[in-house]
Amino acid sequence: MRCCMPGVAFVPALLVSWSSAAFIISYVIAVLAGHVKPLVPYISDTGTKPPESGIFGFMINISALLGVITMYIRYLLIEKQNESSHFVRSSCNMFSFCIGLMGCIGMGIVATFQELSVPSVHDIGALVAFGSGVVYITLQSIISYKSCPQWNTYFVCHIRMAISVISCIAFIPSILHGDLPLLKSGRSRSSHQQASYSPLLVSAAVKGLSKRAPVLRESCTNM
């Protein structure tokens, strides 16, 4: 795989490192400032108030850009491999790439329209980001299986599919107990949290997992 596109293996690793740093830094600042509770807050809640809001918005926008670059590299890599193997249709590869772009646009919306400013737009962006991310990593896992054994090992494919399954499972409760009730009520998470803290705690935990799953999946691109 590396012989097809030498010198780009650092991009997925940079995406994982930068995105993890964005979540951790904004979380630490928000907790130290007393803006969120330390126990499993929503990712968005750690970037709603200054000064962590500026750091959160800036770093997540960079993460979205790195995601686009990583997905484009993945698209070109599959196209190059497909020239000799013909294991997947180019239209399927393009479709997967477009779904991934939608997820990155959703991340940009989440970073730009923060929760306390425009909550409805923020939650719609989160739905687009999470939903598109789950579909993208599932499609990429299927493509990986199709490229076996010439371009991938089954061990790597199993890891990718496991991450996809986990993200799919995590996505459902995060939507049912989090974004959809908030969109219907029109309230922010902080105002809704007092009445239903336990469901929101579960939603925050699984949403954090589903948020990190696509990033972890992209880290397997250069395996």
Side-chain angles (χ1 to χ4, degrees):
M1 291 176 62
R2 294 178 181 175
C3 64
C4 296
M5 298 186 67
V8 298
F10 76 94
V11 179
L14 179 60
L15 170 62
V16 174
S17 302
W18 183 271
S19 299
S20 299
F23 301 141
I24 294 172
I25 292 174
S26 60
Y27 167 79
V28 170
I29 296 176
V31 170
L32 293 178
H35 296 159
V36 297
K37 296 181 179 180
L39 182 60
V40 198
Y42 271 96
I43 294 175
S44 298
D45 287 345
T46 63
T48 57
K49 299 179 181 179
E52 64 268 18
S53 60
I55 297 174
F56 178 83
F58 172 75
M59 296 191 73
I60 294 301
N61 274 318
I62 297 296
S63 294
L65 176 61
L66 291 173
V68 171
I69 296 173
T70 301
M71 292 171 185
Y72 183 61
I73 292 172
R74 176 67 176 170
Y75 167 78
L76 294 178
L77 182 63
I78 294 174
E79 287 294 296
K80 185 67 175 179
Q81 294 170 347
N82 209 34
E83 291 179 1
S84 58
S85 303
H86 303 290
F87 56 87
V88 66
R89 290 185 297 179
S90 295
S91 58
C92 293
N93 189 27
M94 175 59 72
F95 176 74
S96 177
F97 176 59
C98 292
I99 294 294
L101 289 182
M102 288 179 58
C104 293
I105 293 173
M107 286 182 62
I109 294 174
V110 168
T112 304
F113 300 93
Q114 296 174 354
E115 183 185 6
L116 295 182
S117 301
V118 194
S120 297
V121 177
H122 178 90
D123 288 334
I124 290 173
L127 283 172
V128 173
F130 294 138
S132 299
V134 168
V135 174
Y136 175 77
I137 62 177
T138 302
L139 291 174
Q140 287 297 318
S141 298
I142 295 172
I143 292 175
S144 296
Y145 274 106
K146 288 181 174 293
S147 66
C148 283
Q150 182 174 359
W151 298 108
N152 282 291
T153 64
Y154 281 104
F155 175 73
V156 172
C157 292
H158 294 337
I159 294 176
R160 292 172 174 173
M161 183 57 72
I163 295 174
S164 301
V165 171
I166 291 172
S167 65
C168 289
I169 294 174
F171 177 72
I172 297 174
S174 71
I175 296 302
L176 294 180
H177 295 288
D179 288 324
L180 288 182
L182 292 173
L183 283 173
K184 291 179 180 179
S185 64
R187 292 183 291 175
S188 64
R189 292 185 179 89
S190 58
S191 62
H192 189 64
Q193 195 170 12
Q194 299 299 326
S196 55
Y197 180 74
S198 295
L200 284 179
L201 184 64
V202 175
S203 175
V206 295
K207 177 166 281 191
L209 179 61
S210 63
K211 178 70 175 179
R212 287 160 178 79
V215 176
L216 290 174
R217 167 61 180 80
E218 289 306 318
S219 69
C220 296
T221 299
N222 61 337
M223 291 180 62

